[in-house]
Amino acid sequence: LGSAHYLAQPPAALPLGRTVQVVNLDMIGSYSSRRRVYVFGALAGQRATALLRELDDAYPRTRFALGGHSVRGDHHGFHALGIPYAFFWTPDGRCYHRRCDTAARVDYAPLADIAALASALVLRLADEPSVTAPAPAAGGRAGGSSRR
């Protein structure tokens, strides 16, 4: 709901034409299930992918896999407009949206590391002088203006 509202009514202070990357964290508390966090949307050629590879050594306890697509989630509407995304997710086939999906099963230390990694990515993207918003997708509203 939040992302759909944002896309329908972007704030004047941050129009979609200045959005250079979406970083989405969802279901990141079940790291022990597969001992990795998946970062969908971090594809070859995207600046976020290169930055995540550079940040890898700073987070030795967190294994992550880059690439792939996710067809649903808060990032999807941005992706449809051609705005790149990095969707952090830890799969848990046993308890995903089930009764056993409780706070007692959350892997808090890895969750904190994943949040720190995503935060570092956002800070690095914000400090990049060369990062510009993508050209709009067909029928989209994303602009090609510089973020600075």
Side-chain angles (χ1 to χ4, degrees):
L1 211 49
S3 63
H5 178 80
Y6 180 91
L7 289 165
Q9 299 175 4
L14 185 59
L16 289 174
R18 292 189 61 213
T19 303
V20 298
Q21 178 84 35
V22 172
V23 177
N24 182 15
L25 288 78
D26 190 6
M27 297 295 295
I28 61 168
S30 55
Y31 183 82
S32 66
S33 179
R34 302 247 175 100
R35 309 254 350 123
R36 73 180 55 230
V37 59
Y38 293 88
V39 188
F40 295 115
L43 304 173
Q46 292 182 0
R47 188 62 186 137
T49 305
L51 290 173
L52 284 166
R53 287 192 177 112
E54 290 173 18
L55 290 166
D56 185 32
D57 290 340
Y59 299 89
R61 298 182 304 189
T62 306
R63 292 177 48 208
F64 55 89
L66 301 175
H69 292 283
S70 173
V71 297
R72 57 181 202 199
D74 289 325
H75 57 276
H76 186 67
F78 294 92
H79 175 66
L81 293 176
I83 299 170
Y85 68 94
F87 171 38
F88 290 77
W89 178 67
T90 57
D92 184 0
R94 295 169 293 159
C95 289
Y96 182 71
H97 291 299
R98 294 192 179 126
R99 187 171 280 181
C100 58
D101 189 5
T102 65
R105 294 194 70 249
V106 172
D107 300 323
Y108 289 101
L111 182 145
D113 288 345
I114 294 165
L117 172 63
S119 222
L121 172 62
V122 169
L123 290 171
R124 294 282 300 271
L125 283 166
D127 287 341
E128 290 275 315
S130 63
V131 173
T132 58
R141 296 180 304 189
S145 61
S146 173
R147 80 167 175 76
R148 290 190 180 202

